[in-house]
Amino acid sequence: QLQLVESGGGLVQPGGSLRLSCAASENIFSISAMGWYRQAPGKQRELVAGITRGGSTNYPDSAKGRFTISRDNAKNTVYLQMNSLKPEDTAVYYCYAKNYARDYWGQGTQVTVSS
């Protein structure tokens, strides 16, 4: 059973930055893909950033140029650096991993962008 634990969420002013961390219970080197999703009130969960085992990344238009996903295999951790945050970025952010045919999710961490 793969376990994912997010941290780093909190309250930040518009234009500010946050870095989210996702610690995995297994070596992420062997995991097919990892990434971040978010879910805001009244909206569906959406992809924020993804990274494959081979290092390919993908971002939706809402995140391009502002968000960066990275990983540290030695620490079994994936990061999401978020810059130039906007109020519409407010959501619960979830770490996910795809391992073989199964999807795994973290518990989520709240990000609130407000002055």
Side-chain angles (χ1 to χ4, degrees):
Q1 169 76 297
L2 176 63
Q3 294 177 288
L4 305 172
V5 180
E6 304 101 328
S7 62
L11 175 64
V12 63
Q13 294 184 341
S17 299
L18 283 175
R19 189 181 75 160
L20 306 183
S21 299
C22 173
S25 62
E26 300 177 13
N27 54 307
I28 62 175
F29 177 81
S30 63
I31 299 176
S32 298
M34 299 189 71
W36 293 90
Y37 285 73
R38 69 185 181 189
Q39 188 165 22
K43 294 186 177 181
Q44 295 182 331
R45 188 172 298 186
E46 63 177 352
L47 176 70
V48 174
I51 185 167
T52 68
R53 179 181 175 182
S56 298
T57 59
N58 63 93
Y59 306 90
D61 290 340
S62 60
K64 290 180 181 177
R66 300 189 301 124
F67 294 3
T68 303
I69 187 170
S70 62
R71 66 189 181 203
D72 186 333
N73 291 337
K75 295 183 177 181
N76 292 334
T77 301
V78 173
Y79 303 95
L80 181 67
Q81 179 67 46
M82 303 186 293
N83 300 323
S84 301
L85 285 164
K86 307 173 182 179
E88 51 262 45
D89 294 319
T90 296
V92 177
Y93 284 70
Y94 298 90
C95 182
Y96 100 96
K98 186 176 183 64
N99 193 21
Y100 295 98
R102 300 187 62 180
D103 295 334
Y104 298 86
W105 297 91
Q107 82 285 357
T109 184
Q110 177 70 46
V111 172
T112 302
V113 184
S114 176
S115 59

